[in-house]
């Protein structure tokens, strides 16, 4: 659902990483990029709305105001909405390179 919602708001570079064999604090990362803070807010809002409809509520949301890196914590998975600059700088794909990439089915 988070991937579908991000895609609906034109997020780019959407990736899902399976962290179940790498760490114990969460099972999955959903990563995506936004062209600007306004789009980042729209992506975050759509994800929160879509997940709320299926009974999922975030434990916390960090970075919403600045919009450079919005972190949505849903316990079993974390959603990262990045600006292009922040995504390149923090490079979570490299940092968590031992995680398995999850194939995202086409709609």
């Amino acid at each position: 659902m988070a991937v579908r919602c991000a895609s609906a708001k034109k997020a780019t570079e959407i990736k899902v990483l399976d962290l179940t064999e790498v760490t114990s604090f969460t099972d999955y990362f959903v990563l995506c990029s936004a062209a600007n803070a306004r789009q980042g807010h729209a992506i975050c809002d759509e994800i929160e709305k879509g997940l709320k409809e299926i009974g999922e509520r975030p434990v916390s949301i960090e970075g919403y105001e600045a919009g450079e890196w919005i972190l949505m914590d849903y316990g079993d998975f974390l959603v990262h909405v990045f600006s292009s600059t922040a995504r390149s700088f923090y490079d979570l794909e490299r940092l968590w390179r031992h995680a398995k990439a999850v194939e995202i089915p086409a709609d």
Side-chain angles (χ1 to χ4, degrees), residues 70-90:
I70 303 171
L71 174 64
M72 306 175 76
D73 182 353
Y74 282 90
D76 292 340
F77 65 98
L78 302 176
V79 178
H80 302 267
V81 181
F82 287 105
S83 70
S84 297
T85 305
R87 186 155 183 180
S88 295
F89 182 79
Y90 292 105

Side-chain angles (χ1 to χ4, degrees), residues 1-45:
M1 179 61 78
V3 169
R4 277 191 221 121
C5 291
S7 182
K9 290 299 178 182
K10 308 294 188 219
T12 59
E13 300 180 79
I14 301 172
K15 293 186 180 175
V16 178
L17 301 179
D18 180 346
L19 296 156
T20 55
E21 295 180 18
V22 181
T23 188
S24 60
F25 71 87
T26 193
D27 292 337
Y28 296 93
F29 278 177
V30 176
L31 308 166
C32 66
S33 296
N36 52 51
R38 183 178 213 153
Q39 184 188 21
H41 293 153
I43 292 166
C44 180
D45 293 345

